[in-house]
Amino acid sequence: MADIARMAGVSISTVSRALAGNPLIPKPLRDQIVEIAQTHGYVVNQSARSLRLRKTDTIGVIIPLAHETGQLISDPFFLEMIGRLADEITRRNYAVLLHKVVVTETGWLERIIQAHRADGLLLIGQSNQHEVLNKVARTYKPLVVWGAQLPGQSYCSVGSDNVAGGRLAVAHLAKTGRKRIAFLGAVDAPEAAQRFDGYQQGLADAGLPFDPALVVPAHYTMDQARETIAAFIASGVSFDAVFAFSDVIALAAIAALTEAGRSVPGDVAVVGFDDIVLARHSAPPLSTVRQDLALAAREMVDRLFARMAGDPAGSVLSPVELIVRGSSA
């Protein structure tokens, strides 16, 4: 920087401001300094700049998967959510730093924060780390989580009404005459537990008994879910409908049912949750409980930037919508 200052006949501070695009430096002089820098191969050391300014212009996006270590970032829900978050973040001229966290030793989130590689953090899902999030949120404010709202929660979350979604799905299936409605999905993460609660409430609303034999703890990945559902079909348990925790599990169910010679929706009606892009293009198209992920991403990023600025920003719960397509019609 001192070399460039000598060549341009200006001070080092003027070079620094010019390379940062400061409008207080006249544009012709800025252009001259930038040209000298480019000619001599000078680039700003962003790590040093971030240390000096204590600002990285980067947002960390974390996917915690302690509850389902085999799940991949290429999961359709994650891809869509990451894409929408990235659009909102880059619109604000910030970069995105992606973390997938499978092993969760004590202090894993604190270590990410202490590395100072991001100005704020967005988490996609709570996994089984609710208490960790609560502890960190007491002192670290630029943190927003996609997930369920839970009692005693101290962190900011954005999520959908999972209980209402479960009730909507079961009510729809019951209205079409289905009596033996299975629930597919593990219930060890907060969102899944709430959707299962909605499933149980929906059965009670429809006057249908709860049968533990119809609860199938399927994994979240397509291949594993398909194997689990195939085994459930082979067990001989009678069922005429499925409400799945996610669209991925619902699509796995349709594949397994088709392989077993059962028609969808003739023999078994299927409803998922999320409304990922694939849901509209499956055969038959998948009925699902729709979450507005575009709105969710916007709410998450808006709240994060408000918290980064020191402004209050609380949690929000968005309504869901039942989308009826060919898998249950």
Side-chain angles (χ1 to χ4, degrees), residues 161-219:
D161 193 336
N162 295 293
V163 176
R167 294 180 70 175
L168 279 173
V170 173
H172 162 65
L173 291 167
K175 188 176 180 180
T176 61
R178 310 293 171 158
K179 305 285 187 190
R180 300 275 297 167
I181 303 170
F183 178 85
L184 305 184
V187 294
D188 52 354
E191 286 183 295
Q194 289 186 352
R195 291 174 198 179
F196 180 61
D197 186 23
Y199 161 78
Q200 292 177 294
Q201 290 184 31
L203 292 176
D205 292 343
L208 298 175
F210 170 71
D211 184 353
L214 293 175
V215 179
V216 184
H219 285 278

Side-chain angles (χ1 to χ4, degrees), residues 113-236:
I113 293 168
Q114 289 163 4
H116 296 297
R117 299 177 66 193
D119 298 330
L121 298 176
L122 298 169
L123 273 75
I124 304 178
Q126 294 140 307
S127 186
N128 54 13
Q129 301 295 298
H130 171 64
E131 292 305 326
V132 170
L133 297 174
N134 255 356
K135 178 183 174 184
V136 167
R138 294 186 188 108
T139 55
Y140 183 74
K141 300 306 179 185
L143 172 74
V144 177
V145 180
W146 166 263
Q149 287 190 21
L150 302 172
Q153 178 175 308
S154 60
Y155 54 89
C156 175
S157 68
V158 174
S160 297
D161 193 336
N162 295 293
V163 176
R167 294 180 70 175
L168 279 173
V170 173
H172 162 65
L173 291 167
K175 188 176 180 180
T176 61
R178 310 293 171 158
K179 305 285 187 190
R180 300 275 297 167
I181 303 170
F183 178 85
L184 305 184
V187 294
D188 52 354
E191 286 183 295
Q194 289 186 352
R195 291 174 198 179
F196 180 61
D197 186 23
Y199 161 78
Q200 292 177 294
Q201 290 184 31
L203 292 176
D205 292 343
L208 298 175
F210 170 71
D211 184 353
L214 293 175
V215 179
V216 184
H219 285 278
Y220 300 127
T221 61
M222 180 77 77
D223 290 341
Q224 287 181 302
R226 191 167 175 170
E227 291 174 7
T228 301
I229 296 159
F232 174 63
I233 295 169
S235 72

Side-chain angles (χ1 to χ4, degrees), residues 29-285:
L29 180 56
R30 285 206 315 268
D31 292 343
Q32 177 192 354
I33 292 170
V34 168
E35 184 178 354
I36 293 171
Q38 291 174 343
T39 301
H40 292 81
Y42 175 86
V43 293
V44 176
N45 185 323
Q46 292 296 339
S47 297
R49 179 176 180 271
S50 297
L51 277 173
R52 180 168 56 83
L53 299 177
R54 298 190 63 80
K55 186 172 182 288
T56 65
D57 291 333
T58 299
I59 299 300
V61 176
I62 303 174
I63 304 175
L65 290 173
H67 68 294
E68 185 65 270
T69 58
Q71 199 168 9
L72 303 175
I73 291 178
S74 57
D75 176 283
F77 174 80
F78 287 150
L79 286 180
E80 186 163 347
M81 181 59 98
I82 291 167
R84 293 189 180 280
L85 287 173
D87 285 344
E88 293 295 331
I89 292 166
T90 55
R91 190 172 292 131
R92 293 163 170 81
N93 296 318
Y94 273 65
V96 179
L97 178 63
L98 184 62
H99 304 260
K100 175 184 174 182
V101 179
V102 175
V103 181
T104 52
E105 296 99 342
T106 301
W108 67 270
L109 185 52
E110 289 90 338
R111 284 191 291 275
I112 290 175
I113 293 168
Q114 289 163 4
H116 296 297
R117 299 177 66 193
D119 298 330
L121 298 176
L122 298 169
L123 273 75
I124 304 178
Q126 294 140 307
S127 186
N128 54 13
Q129 301 295 298
H130 171 64
E131 292 305 326
V132 170
L133 297 174
N134 255 356
K135 178 183 174 184
V136 167
R138 294 186 188 108
T139 55
Y140 183 74
K141 300 306 179 185
L143 172 74
V144 177
V145 180
W146 166 263
Q149 287 190 21
L150 302 172
Q153 178 175 308
S154 60
Y155 54 89
C156 175
S157 68
V158 174
S160 297
D161 193 336
N162 295 293
V163 176
R167 294 180 70 175
L168 279 173
V170 173
H172 162 65
L173 291 167
K175 188 176 180 180
T176 61
R178 310 293 171 158
K179 305 285 187 190
R180 300 275 297 167
I181 303 170
F183 178 85
L184 305 184
V187 294
D188 52 354
E191 286 183 295
Q194 289 186 352
R195 291 174 198 179
F196 180 61
D197 186 23
Y199 161 78
Q200 292 177 294
Q201 290 184 31
L203 292 176
D205 292 343
L208 298 175
F210 170 71
D211 184 353
L214 293 175
V215 179
V216 184
H219 285 278
Y220 300 127
T221 61
M222 180 77 77
D223 290 341
Q224 287 181 302
R226 191 167 175 170
E227 291 174 7
T228 301
I229 296 159
F232 174 63
I233 295 169
S235 72
V237 174
S238 172
F239 68 103
D240 58 9
V242 161
F243 168 49
F245 161 78
S246 69
D247 286 349
V248 168
I249 296 175
L251 294 172
I254 291 176
L257 286 162
T258 302
E259 286 179 358
R262 300 197 188 185
S263 68
V264 177
D267 297 324
V268 180
V270 178
V271 176
F273 203 113
D274 287 330
D275 197 25
I276 59 175
V277 173
L278 286 176
R280 296 155 227 169
H281 303 288
S282 63

